[in-house]
Amino acid sequence: MILTNILGPPCAGKSSLAGRFILEHPDWFYTSIDNCRIIQKDEKLAWNMLEEDLEIINRNIVFESSGLSWRLPNILKKQTKKILSIALLASKEELHKRLSLRQNKRDLPYKLRMDEKQSIDWVLQNIGSCEYPIDLVIRTDQVSKEEAYKILSDKIEEI
């Protein structure tokens, strides 16, 4: 079984690529910290829910987050599945542009420390200090959505 960790800043393409992969691979399970936040309406409960989702034994899983929460390394250490971490990145300017054009913004039920613009900047500044290995980086500002999806799905198939 595989746990595919799609990480990166807001507007990098995580939801788009994960959503397409799940549609084309319905036997895989999908989760994200934002979905858990919306369901639980509490940060601690959301992370507990994500951890429970990731512990599903007999399913391959795709999940997405910024990848930099202090909670994530400990959650990943408990995994028995093979972990594939794929970072989606783009320039700060491109991500801010995408954020300004975003139409399907989901409102979380409570305020986080940073808004999405601040989160973009913070993730880009700190992605290099990720506490676990990143197996692949896809620059979504340098390839088309179709190429990014092919790179992602080919890497998952390779594992």
Side-chain angles (χ1 to χ4, degrees):
M1 295 285 119
I2 271 184
L3 176 62
T4 302
N5 172 21
I6 301 177
L7 60 127
C11 300
K14 299 181 307 290
S15 297
S16 297
L17 294 181
R20 180 173 172 191
F21 187 85
I22 290 299
L23 285 173
E24 293 184 9
H25 301 85
D27 52 322
W28 282 62
F29 179 78
Y30 166 81
T31 190
S32 77
I33 188 56
D34 284 347
N35 282 350
C36 294
R37 286 173 172 141
I38 289 166
I39 291 167
Q40 293 297 330
K41 299 177 179 35
D42 175 89
E43 190 70 3
K44 186 173 191 284
L45 294 175
W47 281 97
N48 290 343
M49 181 180 179
L50 179 72
E51 189 167 2
E52 289 173 12
D53 284 353
L54 298 180
E55 290 174 355
I56 296 172
I57 305 274
N58 296 319
R59 300 269 314 256
N60 290 314
I61 299 172
V62 169
F63 85 99
E64 61 167 293
S65 72
S66 73
L68 295 177
S69 169
W70 60 269
R71 295 173 177 94
L72 199 51
N74 288 332
I75 292 171
L76 293 177
K77 283 178 190 169
K78 297 177 188 176
Q79 289 301 309
T80 58
K81 295 177 177 72
K82 170 132 180 78
I83 299 171
L84 172 64
S85 292
I86 301 174
L88 303 182
L89 298 175
S91 71
K92 181 166 100 169
E93 296 75 22
E94 177 63 23
L95 295 169
H96 283 261
K97 178 179 152 195
R98 291 177 189 172
L99 180 61
S100 72
L101 299 172
R102 183 181 267 180
Q103 294 177 6
N104 298 325
K105 181 171 176 351
R106 295 183 297 178
D107 288 325
L108 296 177
Y110 54 91
K111 188 166 175 36
L112 296 174
R113 276 186 314 132
M114 292 180 253
D115 64 24
E116 286 184 301
K117 187 174 182 181
Q118 293 168 320
S119 183
I120 287 170
D121 297 347
W122 188 83
V123 172
L124 290 176
Q125 288 169 355
N126 292 286
I127 197 79
S129 62
C130 192
E131 293 184 39
Y132 50 86
I134 296 174
D135 302 294
L136 176 66
V137 174
I138 301 172
R139 293 290 309 212
T140 61
D141 57 349
Q142 296 176 359
V143 297
S144 69
K145 284 184 182 180
E146 195 60 38
E147 290 169 306
Y149 180 74
K150 179 162 179 21
I151 294 167
L152 178 131
S153 57
D154 285 352
K155 185 65 174 180
I156 294 171
E157 292 298 322
E158 180 184 307
I159 302 298

